Amino acid sequence: MKAITMTRGAVAIALAAAAGPAIAEGTNLIGIGVGVRPVYAGSDEYRAVPTPLINYRSGHFFITPRAGLPALGLSYELAPDLEGGVFVGLGLGRDSDDSDRTRGLDDIDFHGVYGAFVEWTPGRYSLGAAYRQAAKSGYGGTLELRTSYAVVQTERQQLRLGVSTQWANSSDMQTWYGVSTSDAARSREHLSPYSASSGFKNAALFANWTYQLTKDWTVMSTLGVSTVLGDARDSPLTERKTNVFGSLGVGYRF
């Protein structure tokens, strides 16, 4: 039986604040999971989110979780242990009624995203970068930097520890943490207007664990802690500087 390794791209791009269960490489996989995360990074309210799990690769084409949701794309080997590619997927939104702090504000719509990634995976290490751009006008984009190391790697299980950080442009930061004059006037919490500029938005520590129950079934989980940074940290929408997040899933290998 082959030792478990992490899927390239899934390691580098899964957004910590909305992370789904880690997915093992080796064969294609489909399953279901559930994640617990804050309504938005910096909120003191949490919600459980069902997460479809799919990992499929055929030649350059792949379908795999990115930012907690399935995305499809093309990947290419640029050099030994170095891979790059492009992808399209979906981005989560935020309803104003999701949280007491956001009541009265404009909704953030569920939207499409597209982007590119590069990842270097020498041995048990992984170092990656990914840029995600919202397809909806005005929602902006983010750049994520991530590194991790497989501290346990056996035939049946893997435990990977990592850190990540996100830089956001001004449109993304304003979408999630800004408060316009009209938003402030409608706010149920009487928020003050706030303009958020580009900069680092959050940082996270996380652990991904996978365990192969049988040759066909695998359990996957993620546990971590994240903190907001920069203008996101100073936003009147931020109630809690630090959040925890986690997920658990099961998948069938085919």
Side-chain angles (χ1 to χ4, degrees):
M1 186 183 297
K2 256 172 78 173
I4 295 174
T5 57
M6 296 301 298
T7 303
R8 291 182 179 181
V11 172
I13 299 177
L15 175 64
I23 290 185
E25 188 182 24
T27 57
N28 299 323
L29 179 146
I30 188 167
I32 187 69
V34 61
V36 177
R37 65 180 185 86
V39 172
Y40 57 91
S43 172
D44 65 2
E45 298 182 48
Y46 285 76
R47 65 181 176 185
V49 181
T51 305
L53 305 177
I54 180 169
N55 190 69
Y56 175 80
R57 182 181 287 261
S58 178
H60 297 297
F61 176 77
F62 65 81
I63 305 174
T64 196
R66 296 175 186 270
L69 293 172
L72 57 87
L74 298 171
S75 65
Y76 299 89
E77 186 175 352
L78 306 177
D81 300 322
L82 182 66
E83 183 180 48
V86 295
F87 62 91
V88 295
L90 298 170
L92 292 172
R94 182 185 70 199
D95 290 338
S96 63
D97 291 338
D98 285 347
S99 166
D100 289 340
R101 186 59 65 97
T102 58
R103 291 186 186 278
L105 276 62
D106 287 335
D107 293 339
I108 300 174
D109 297 329
F110 194 71
H111 56 280
V113 299
Y114 58 91
F117 72 93
V118 63
E119 185 179 8
W120 183 46
T121 54
R124 295 190 179 195
Y125 291 94
S126 174
L127 179 64
Y131 182 78
R132 290 169 49 88
Q133 175 64 43
K136 187 174 178 64
S137 177
Y139 277 18
T142 59
L143 172 68
E144 183 183 36
L145 305 175
R146 176 180 292 245
T147 185
S148 65
Y149 177 74
V151 296
V152 176
Q153 186 164 292
T154 69
E155 289 185 347
R156 300 194 69 170
Q157 70 174 322
Q158 182 189 89
L159 175 62
R160 180 174 290 272
L161 303 180
V163 296
S164 67
T165 187
Q166 272 193 327
W167 178 91
N169 63 21
S170 57
S171 294
D172 177 271
M173 197 75 90
Q174 183 65 22
T175 296
W176 286 95
Y177 294 101
V179 180
S180 67
T181 302
S182 58
D183 280 338
R186 297 192 307 268
S187 169
R188 305 281 183 86
E189 295 290 308
H190 308 292
L191 301 179
S192 299
Y194 181 77
S195 180
S197 301
S198 61
F200 282 97
K201 184 165 74 167
N202 59 52
L205 299 171
F206 62 90
N208 290 331
W209 178 68
T210 61
Y211 185 78
Q212 190 170 332
L213 294 171
T214 69
K215 69 181 183 67
D216 295 325
W217 292 95
T218 301
V219 174
M220 302 149 284
S221 65
T222 296
L223 182 65
V225 59
S226 65
T227 184
V228 288
L229 304 172
D231 280 8
R233 192 177 186 89
D234 297 330
S235 170
L237 291 172
T238 297
E239 302 167 291
R240 184 187 296 270
K241 303 298 191 291
T242 301
N243 295 113
V244 296
F245 59 90
S247 60
L248 179 66
V250 62
Y252 178 77
R253 299 157 65 93
F254 62 94

